[in-house]
C-alpha cells in the first residue's frame, strides 16, 4: 500500500513488512492527516505491534500527533504496542508536553544521530513513575 497526497499536500505513506508498520515521508498537517488516518486504520487491522518510521518526515502538527496517539491507544487496548523510529526532538517534546509520549515506545538512541539531538532525547525520556519531581 502506498498513499500519496496531492502535490501540494506532500505526504507519502508506505506500508512496511519488516517490521510491520508505516514509513512516512513529507509533511503531516490539516490537509494530509486524513491520509495518515486511513493508513493507520489499515495497520491497526493487522495483528501484532506496529512500527512507525518518521526518519523522512519533515513536519507533523498536533493533528498528526493526535492521530498517532489515537492509534497507539487502540493498539494498547489490544495488548499491542506502537514503536516510533526517527522522531525529531521537536515531536518528542510536543508528545511529552501533551502527555502522549508514554503511549509510544521510542528505540533507545540508535536513530538520533546528532549529539545535541541525543542529549535532548535523553532529557525527554519520561521519569519512572516511582520518581517524583521536587
Amino acid at each position: 500500500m502506498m498513499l500519496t497526497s496531492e502535490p501540494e499536500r506532500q505526504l507519502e505513506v508506505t506500508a512496511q513488512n519488516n517490521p510491520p508498520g508505516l514509513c512516512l515521508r513529507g509533511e503531516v498537517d490539516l490537509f494530509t492527516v486524513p491520509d495518515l488516518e486511513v493508513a493507520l486504520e489499515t495497520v491497526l487491522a493487522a495483528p501484532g505491534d506496529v512500527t512507525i518510521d518518521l526518519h523522512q518526515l519533515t513536519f507533523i502538527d498536533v493533528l498528526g500527533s493526535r492521530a498517532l496517539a489515537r492509534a497507539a491507544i487502540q493498539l494498547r487496548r489490544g495488548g499491542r504496542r506502537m514503536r516510533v523510529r526517527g522522531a525529531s526532538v521537536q515531536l518528542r517534546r510536543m508528545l511529552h508536553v501533551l502527555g502522549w509520549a508514554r503511549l509510544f515506545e521510542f528505540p533507545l538512541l540508535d536513530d538520533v544521530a546528532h549529539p545535541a539531538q541525543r542529549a535532548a532525547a535523553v532529557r525527554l525520556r519520561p521519569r519512572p513513575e516511582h520518581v517524583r519531581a521536587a
Side-chain angles (χ1 to χ4, degrees):
M1 165 189 66
M2 185 160 121
L3 293 174
T4 304
S5 299
E6 296 172 22
E8 66 274 6
R9 292 189 179 175
Q10 302 179 0
L11 175 66
E12 184 178 303
V13 182
T14 307
Q16 301 181 135
N17 294 324
N18 191 17
L22 301 172
C23 179
L24 307 182
R25 174 187 289 176
E27 301 178 358
V28 179
D29 59 19
L30 175 66
F31 300 106
T32 60
V33 78
D35 297 329
L36 174 60
E37 291 171 336
V38 168
L40 288 168
E41 288 175 18
T42 302
V43 296
L44 289 173
D49 294 342
V50 172
T51 297
I52 307 296
D53 184 340
L54 304 179
H55 281 100
Q56 298 177 52
L57 193 69
T58 56
F59 176 80
I60 185 168
D61 66 7
V62 72
L63 291 175
S65 301
R66 184 177 69 180
L68 292 174
R70 285 179 173 173
I73 289 168
Q74 287 183 324
L75 287 168
R76 282 181 160 227
R77 286 181 182 150
R80 300 159 59 199
R81 298 174 293 196
M82 180 180 286
R83 292 184 184 94
V84 177
R85 296 187 54 81
S88 69
V89 172
Q90 293 84 359
L91 174 59
R92 290 178 191 226
R93 185 174 295 126
M94 179 172 44
L95 293 172
H96 181 74
V97 167
L98 293 170
W100 297 339
R102 62 181 172 72
L103 299 172
F104 306 96
E105 285 188 9
F106 297 95
L108 289 174
L109 298 176
D110 61 342
D111 58 357
V112 180
H114 191 274
Q117 288 182 320
R118 220 180 348 264
V122 169
R123 284 193 304 272
L124 291 176
R125 282 201 185 142
R127 268 189 212 112
E129 291 184 25
H130 67 278
V131 177
R132 300 269 183 220

